[in-house]
Amino acid sequence: MIYPKKLKENDIIEIISPSNGVKIKKIKKYEKAIENLNSYGFNIIEDKYVRNSEHGVSSSAFNRSFEFNKAVKETDVKALVACSGGDYLIQIMDLINFNCIKNNIKWIQGQSDITPLLFYITTKFDIATIYSFNVKSFGDDYLPKSMIKNNIDFL
């Protein structure tokens, strides 16, 4: 199995929205999650549609796949973490550049709707992915800090 490199201080994590974005009522939790990730020494950027959520998607399938493919190609980005789940990741599966994923190995993490993508990457290309928190969970007050720290240490 191919494991992406461990993250280190000042590495860039990009928040992606391959399905839904962050709903307005969850923005404060999302922003707290970003603060928490920054406190571990990471630089956080987000794709163009992370803060959009209309009818269960962050944008059109083309736009979501374009942003995902762009994030995968970016060599300075060391990990991708989904902002939320949803129901429409399947719309972009045929639009993803999987050769680029093989050539730019990085951690890809999320849960719920991103599952088919993580499963495909891991089983087809033998690249480890992480089925774990979407980024908003890093902003949960009720989540034990040890769970967040364990996820960060794994990355």
Side-chain angles (χ1 to χ4, degrees):
M1 173 144 309
I2 302 164
Y3 290 91
K5 291 181 181 175
K6 292 270 190 188
L7 297 185
K8 51 190 185 314
E9 193 169 343
N10 295 317
D11 275 349
I12 298 172
I13 297 173
E14 183 163 344
I15 310 306
I16 56 172
S17 57
S19 188
N20 203 359
V22 179
K23 297 176 183 173
I24 290 174
K25 64 183 179 179
K26 304 255 180 162
I27 286 290
K28 285 187 180 183
K29 182 178 174 181
Y30 172 75
E31 289 175 346
K32 183 177 179 188
I34 300 305
E35 286 176 30
N36 287 342
L37 288 170
N38 283 328
S39 75
Y40 284 96
F42 301 119
N43 294 309
I44 308 301
I45 62 174
E46 55 189 55
D47 81 23
K48 188 175 181 177
Y49 302 104
V50 164
R51 294 175 187 251
N52 294 346
S53 178
E54 295 181 34
H55 308 293
V57 293
S58 62
S59 189
S60 70
F62 175 82
N63 288 344
R64 288 179 282 134
S65 65
F66 180 84
E67 288 295 309
F68 179 82
N69 288 329
K70 185 171 78 169
V72 169
K73 287 180 196 172
E74 184 55 56
T75 57
D76 289 341
V77 173
K78 303 303 180 191
L80 307 176
V81 179
C83 67
S84 61
D87 296 310
Y88 299 102
L89 175 110
I90 199 71
Q91 294 175 335
I92 73 168
M93 288 294 286
D94 288 342
L95 303 172
I96 291 174
N97 183 343
F98 287 101
N99 285 326
C100 193
I101 291 171
K102 291 189 303 186
N103 296 325
N104 297 293
I105 295 170
K106 58 187 75 185
W107 287 113
I108 302 175
Q109 174 177 319
Q111 66 183 26
S112 186
D113 198 38
I114 198 170
T115 304
L117 177 62
L118 300 178
F119 180 80
Y120 187 79
I121 292 167
T122 300
T123 58
K124 178 76 174 173
F125 304 111
D126 206 29
I127 299 170
T129 58
I130 302 175
Y131 186 84
S132 184
F133 307 128
N134 289 321
V135 78
K136 289 184 302 194
S137 295
F138 288 101
D140 279 340
D141 290 327
Y142 68 87
L143 201 62
K145 296 224 183 286
S146 62
M147 288 181 73
I148 293 173
K149 176 95 171 76
N150 286 342
N151 193 153
I152 296 297
D153 288 347
F154 193 85
L155 285 168

